[in-house]
Amino acid sequence: MQLVIVTGMSGAGKSRAVEALEDIGFYCVDNMPPKLIPTFIQLCIDSKRDRVALVADIRLGSEFTELFDILSDIKDVKYKILFIDADNEVIMRRYQETRRKHPLADEFNTSSILAAIEKERETLLDARQKADYIVDTSEIMSSQFKEKIVKLFLENVASSLKIYSNSFGFKYGIPKEADLVFDVRCLPNPFYVPELKNHTGIEEPVRTFVMKFRQAKQLEKKLYDLIDFLVPLYMSEGKSQLTIAFGCTGGKHRSVVFAELLNKHLLEKGADVTVFHRDITR
């Protein structure tokens, strides 16, 4: 059985993550008391449910601290932890827009949403450190978020290393989930070529322009050497998710070219890799 524990910050998007998991066949249960989890898992095994997701978060109160001890006692089922995160300011804005009350507001007798968020982040720090996958929803649209979740779990939840080759624009901020960030603003910019300005790095004319320069070809070779060296090390260390992000000014041209090139290279190496262009439509 494939078991996913969905946790993370209130207001970060756990409900949307569950919806995405349900769409690809997961049986999802929200906020089950940890002591009931072993019995529930056995029932799922008996009924041949092979894809299950459990949401466990700060709403459990003091019981949340029992979660990982109980999970560690389950010997026959391997599980992955999916942590949904977002910046404090983003979460605070979402609460203000929906006028909902933070789960910790009453417990800590505070009317400050930010104070409650900071307390929750402190409480969930250990869970975040244990997470196999971290998805930050601060700067992505709902459709992009769902696409990430679906691609992460659709084929094989137990994949040894899931790699994302991402592009982004520095003007919109560095992706919080990035493990490795490469700045390709040092390369000639197609934005200043009139016939290329309104095209993207997915298209051949832009890719041809970027890669015709000697420094771009050298960077490509050195990049492959570095990634080919690092990936086996990450796998041996037990890392489950690796996000490699390429940034240019707007996230439409140079960064897209290199994210696509790395994606192709890793696919040829047999890696489990997905390319993702955060800002290409901005």
Side-chain angles (χ1 to χ4, degrees), residues 10-198:
S10 302
K14 295 189 297 296
S15 297
R16 284 186 291 156
V18 167
E19 291 171 1
L21 289 169
E22 286 179 335
D23 286 345
I24 58 174
F26 275 82
Y27 181 75
C28 301
V29 178
D30 186 22
N31 235 30
M32 175 177 292
K35 290 179 181 177
L36 296 180
I37 290 178
T39 301
F40 171 76
I41 289 176
Q42 187 58 54
L43 289 172
C44 289
I45 294 174
D46 294 342
S47 60
K48 301 189 185 303
R49 294 189 185 275
D50 59 355
R51 313 191 82 189
V52 177
L54 297 176
V55 180
D57 56 34
I58 202 68
R59 292 172 295 165
L60 288 171
S62 60
E63 290 182 272
F64 184 80
T65 59
E66 304 173 6
L67 175 64
F68 296 109
D69 289 336
I70 290 173
L71 287 171
S72 66
D73 291 335
I74 302 174
K75 304 301 182 184
D76 299 329
V77 178
K78 294 182 179 180
Y79 64 90
K80 297 288 185 180
I81 300 172
L82 170 63
F83 193 98
I84 309 300
D85 203 355
D87 291 341
N88 287 4
E89 294 77 11
V90 173
I91 295 174
M92 186 165 61
R93 185 177 69 246
R94 291 172 182 171
Y95 270 103
Q96 290 170 340
E97 290 172 351
T98 61
R99 299 183 182 277
R100 295 183 60 213
K101 184 170 65 174
H102 191 278
L104 296 183
D106 290 336
E107 181 178 351
F108 292 96
N109 192 27
T110 178
S111 59
S112 170
I113 297 176
L114 182 57
I117 292 171
E118 290 174 342
K119 182 61 181 179
E120 179 182 21
R121 191 173 295 283
E122 179 184 338
T123 304
L124 296 180
L125 180 60
D126 184 55
R128 195 182 195 282
Q129 292 174 339
K130 285 184 169 71
D132 298 282
Y133 308 105
I134 298 173
V135 178
D136 191 295
T137 67
S138 302
E139 298 291 340
I140 60 176
M141 297 180 292
S142 295
S143 58
Q144 292 176 319
F145 176 52
K146 181 177 180 180
E147 181 184 3
K148 270 198 166 188
I149 299 298
V150 168
K151 287 183 177 179
L152 193 60
F153 294 104
L154 181 59
E155 295 182 355
N156 182 15
V157 177
S159 176
S160 61
L161 180 63
K162 177 70 179 181
I163 303 175
Y164 281 101
S165 179
N166 290 5
S167 69
F168 70 94
F170 275 99
K171 66 191 295 185
Y172 304 114
I174 298 174
K176 297 295 189 300
E177 69 270 27
D179 298 293
L180 300 172
V181 177
F182 295 95
D183 184 352
V184 294
R185 290 176 294 183
C186 55
L187 302 176
N189 192 352
F191 179 84
Y192 296 109
V193 180
E195 59 269 28
L196 299 178
K197 177 179 179 179
N198 295 320

Side-chain angles (χ1 to χ4, degrees), residues 187 206-214 216-218 220 257-258 261:
L187 302 176
V206 174
R207 185 162 59 250
T208 298
F209 174 85
V210 172
M211 297 309 298
K212 74 179 182 179
F213 296 97
R214 177 178 55 84
K217 293 176 182 176
Q218 289 179 330
E220 180 187 18
V257 169
F258 270 84
L261 286 173

